[in-house]
Amino acid sequence: MRVSVLGTAQDGGVPHLGCECARCERARTDPDAVRYPASIVVEGAMRILVAATMDVRHQVRDVDAVVLTHAHVGHLPGLLQFGREVADADRLPVYCTAGLARLVRENDPFALLCEHDCIDLRVVEDGDTIPVGRRRDPRTGDAGAGNAATGGDDADVLRVRRVAHRDELGTGTLAVSVVGDRTLSYVPDVDAWSPNLVSWVADADAALVDGTFWSDDELPRQAEVPHPRIEASLDRLPGDDSVWFTHLNHTNPVLDPESEERATVERAGFGVAVRGQTFDC
Ligand SMILES: [Zn+2]
Ligand SMILES: [Zn+2]
């Protein structure tokens, strides 16, 4: 399988509505400075999008399925683009928690996606797997050899995991593991690093993790939006060049490749994810 990074910003992207900071002002005139909200696409025999951001139309042409991680604004509203007004999908499989499935099914305008058979909601809970299948060789069309260690083509899956994250609607948050010959943990949005979560990141061959804020003083109301600060994460997570920060708020100084904070991240053995980055799993 191949995992491609489609976006690395917090929910609102860069530029951020209402913000006059230099980074956001630059992104309003320089397309190269725009950052889309965090999402990935996992390509095996199927192409599975993880998170439906408001910028989804810039991020993918089409996909075979979607995993919705949670109900926050950077991760759900892009689902509407699969409705009749735009992609007019035909029973696109959409994987999410039972609570989020209920929210989509019972609330317009999302409910129309179900009524029009554009999407097919499939409930997944902690530990469940979603088959991805082997990626075809672009030249020969062959699927790669099965993975003897884990049992062949069926072994290529996404495994979902419940994580603790602000849950105003009671619909929960999922992170995912991409499990093939190698594993990648994708955990872009969490309140804090629990010991379990730290081991989950450390045990994976690679990880894309919550790097929303660098420090505690980026927003006036930051106490209301708990996220692990990168400054502290550098001491909790393994600095072995396998962990990249994503879901970066527009205020985060690591967005600037020349910043002292970026240099600190790299010196500690971590990376800052960028759109277009790929991981083979
Ligand atoms: Zn988010
Ligand atoms: Zn800004």
Side-chain angles (χ1 to χ4, degrees):
M1 285 176 293
R2 173 160 293 172
V3 177
S4 303
V5 175
L6 302 177
T8 60
Q10 178 266 7
D11 300 42
V14 181
H16 203 90
L17 188 66
C19 183
E20 297 178 356
C21 78
R23 182 175 296 116
C24 288
E25 289 293 14
R26 186 174 148 227
R28 289 191 179 95
T29 55
D30 177 0
D32 290 339
V34 170
R35 287 188 179 244
Y36 302 139
S39 72
I40 57 172
V41 66
V42 181
E43 293 176 80
M46 310 252 295
R47 280 167 57 83
I48 303 186
L49 176 69
V50 181
T53 83
M54 293 188 286
D55 286 329
V56 65
R57 73 193 192 285
H58 295 294
Q59 295 176 298
V60 287
R61 181 183 297 107
D62 50 44
V63 290
D64 300 311
V66 177
V67 179
L68 296 174
T69 56
H70 60 300
H72 287 169
V73 72
H75 308 266
L76 170 64
L79 194 64
L80 292 170
Q81 300 259 12
F82 293 95
R84 278 202 175 154
E85 299 89 338
V86 191
D88 193 20
D90 180 16
R91 300 192 67 78
L92 180 78
V94 174
Y95 297 91
C96 60
T97 63
L100 186 46
R102 197 176 321 115
L103 181 145
V104 167
R105 203 182 305 112
E106 294 178 1
N107 291 280
D108 283 327
F110 295 102
L112 286 176
L113 297 169
C114 302
E115 282 171 36
H116 294 160
D117 281 332
C118 295
I119 63 170
D120 176 17
L121 290 168
R122 301 183 183 186
V123 170
V124 282
E125 294 296 353
D126 191 55
D128 284 350
T129 56
I130 300 164
V132 185
R134 286 280 153 148
R135 185 162 165 265
R136 305 262 156 196
D137 184 306
R139 286 161 304 146
T140 65
D142 292 340
N147 176 359
T150 44
D153 288 2
D154 293 339
D156 284 5
V157 296
L158 293 185
R159 180 172 292 123
V160 303
R161 180 188 177 114
R162 278 265 193 169
V163 294
H165 180 48
R166 280 182 300 113
D167 196 9
E168 301 88 341
L169 302 174
T171 50
T173 294
L174 298 175
V176 303
S177 250
V178 182
V179 184
D181 292 330
R182 291 161 49 81
T183 58
L184 177 133
S185 293
Y186 185 60
V187 51
D189 238 345
V190 285
D191 290 349
W193 295 121
S194 66
N196 274 346
L197 215 41
V198 170
S199 332
W200 190 53
V201 168
D203 291 345
D205 294 299
L208 288 159
V209 306
D210 187 329
T212 310
F213 299 114
W214 166 258
S215 64
D216 278 329
D217 52 9
E218 286 175 48
L219 291 184
R221 55 184 177 84
Q222 199 165 331
E224 297 166 22
V225 275
H227 284 279
R229 312 313 192 226
I230 292 181
E231 263 185 325
S233 298
L234 297 179
D235 293 329
R236 292 294 308 276
L237 302 177
D240 58 2
D241 296 314
S242 72
V243 177
W244 280 263
F245 292 104
T246 188
H247 196 269
L248 306 158
N249 201 54
H250 63 115
T251 54
N252 195 322
V254 305
L255 285 166
D256 175 3
E258 307 303 324
S259 66
E260 181 49 40
E261 291 85 353
R262 172 73 75 97
T264 302
V265 165
E266 290 172 354
R267 266 199 310 272
F270 294 82
V272 174
V274 291
R275 178 155 53 100
Q277 188 172 4
T278 60
F279 300 85
D280 286 325
C281 288

